[in-house]
């Protein structure tokens, strides 16, 4: 378990599967995913079993004071190059302002200080303005755009690429901590 302030990350387990499936299939999460179909219960359980066997991913539950709020994951972990893809979402709605930024801080701290990752990279659909704004608030580095890269609901959509590096985290973590946990109090 990784804890910062009232927020924590813990490994996802079988007891989380029904809640995570509900979140994943909710419109506010599903429609912003690169694969946005409704996930069946069997598909979800098969994914979980495969994920648990894999050494190239870590899935966690983001909580506030023990209450599950969302998911943070590291996937495509490449030990040779010490990098991986990251993703996160809040499954619950109507949360206090700043909860998403707290998720970002805790996730970055976990990736760089617990997992010792050198580089994180992520992909965001260009129409997902809330996640783009979140990356901007966190200070993610925009590395580029893949034009008309994937088909979503019959349209080809751009994907924006974001990254973080371990040295960038070291330089920014105090500022980000202040912005997330001090200014909002």
């Amino acid at each position: 378990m990784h804890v910062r302030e009232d927020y924590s990350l813990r490994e996802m387990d079988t007891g989380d599967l029904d809640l995570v499936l509900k979140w994943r299939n909710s419109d506010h999460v599903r429609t912003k995913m690169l694969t946005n179909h409704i996930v069946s219960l069997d598909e979800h359980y098969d994914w979980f079993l495969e994920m648990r066997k894999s050494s190239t991913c870590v899935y966690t539950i983001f909580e506030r004071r023990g209450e599950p709020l969302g998911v943070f994951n590291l996937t495509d972990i490449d030990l040779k190059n010490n990098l991986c893809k990251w993703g996160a979402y809040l499954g619950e709605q109507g949360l206090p302002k700043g909860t998403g930024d707290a998720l970002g801080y805790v996730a970055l701290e976990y990736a760089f200080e617990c997992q010792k990752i050198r580089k994180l990279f992520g992909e965001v659909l260009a129409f997902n303005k809330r996640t783009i704004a979140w990356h901007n608030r966190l200070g993610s580095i925009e590395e580029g755009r893949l034009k008309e890269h994937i088909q979503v609901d019959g349209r080809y959509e751009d994907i924006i690429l974001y990254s973080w590096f371990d040295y960038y985290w070291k330089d920014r973590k105090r500022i980000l901590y202040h912005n997330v946990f001090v200014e909002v109090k």
Side-chain angles (χ1 to χ4, degrees), residues 9 17 21 56 76 81 117 136 146 150 158-159 180 185:
L9 293 174
L17 288 181
L21 181 61
T56 63
D76 301 332
N81 295 300
I117 299 295
N136 289 335
L146 302 172
I150 66 167
D158 293 1
I159 292 178
V180 172
K185 291 186 177 179

Side-chain angles (χ1 to χ4, degrees), residues 8 14 56-57 63 67 86-87 139 183 185:
S8 60
T14 54
T56 63
C57 63
E63 298 179 325
E67 178 187 350
W86 72 312
E183 281 190 11
K185 291 186 177 179

Side-chain angles (χ1 to χ4, degrees), residues 2 9 72 74 86 101-117 120 134-135 138-140 163-166 168-169 172-173 176:
H2 178 71
L9 293 174
F72 166 66
L74 301 173
W86 72 312
D101 294 348
L103 167 56
Y105 184 93
V106 172
L108 290 164
E109 184 177 60
Y110 174 79
F112 291 117
E113 297 185 18
C114 297
Q115 294 293 318
K116 305 297 185 196
I117 299 295
L120 293 175
W134 178 73
H135 275 285
L138 291 178
S140 298
S163 67
W164 274 83
F165 293 87
D166 55 358
Y168 186 65
W169 165 250
R172 289 205 37 91
K173 71 180 179 179
L176 187 56

Side-chain angles (χ1 to χ4, degrees), residues 6 8 16 49 94 108 113 117 128 137 141 154 157 185:
D6 290 336
S8 60
D16 299 309
L49 293 174
L108 290 164
E113 297 185 18
I117 299 295
N128 188 348
R137 280 193 314 278
I141 301 163
E157 298 289 348
K185 291 186 177 179

Side-chain angles (χ1 to χ4, degrees), residues 117-136:
I117 299 295
R118 179 188 65 83
K119 179 183 180 179
L120 293 175
F121 61 93
E123 303 169 329
V124 179
L125 289 162
F127 65 75
N128 188 348
K129 302 301 183 201
R130 287 187 80 167
T131 301
I132 291 167
W134 178 73
H135 275 285
N136 289 335

Side-chain angles (χ1 to χ4, degrees), residues 16 20 35 41 46 50 65 69 71-72 119 140 159 165:
D16 299 309
V20 171
T35 54
L41 184 61
D46 289 347
E50 287 303 310
R65 297 181 187 146
L69 303 177
V71 172
F72 166 66
K119 179 183 180 179
S140 298
I159 292 178
F165 293 87

Side-chain angles (χ1 to χ4, degrees), residues 68-95:
L69 303 177
V71 172
F72 166 66
N73 62 68
L74 301 173
T75 60
D76 301 332
I77 298 171
D78 175 346
L79 296 177
K80 178 181 180 229
N81 295 300
N82 196 15
L83 56 83
C84 64
K85 186 183 284 188
W86 72 312
Y89 63 82
L90 293 172
E92 298 298 323
Q93 293 184 292
L95 296 170

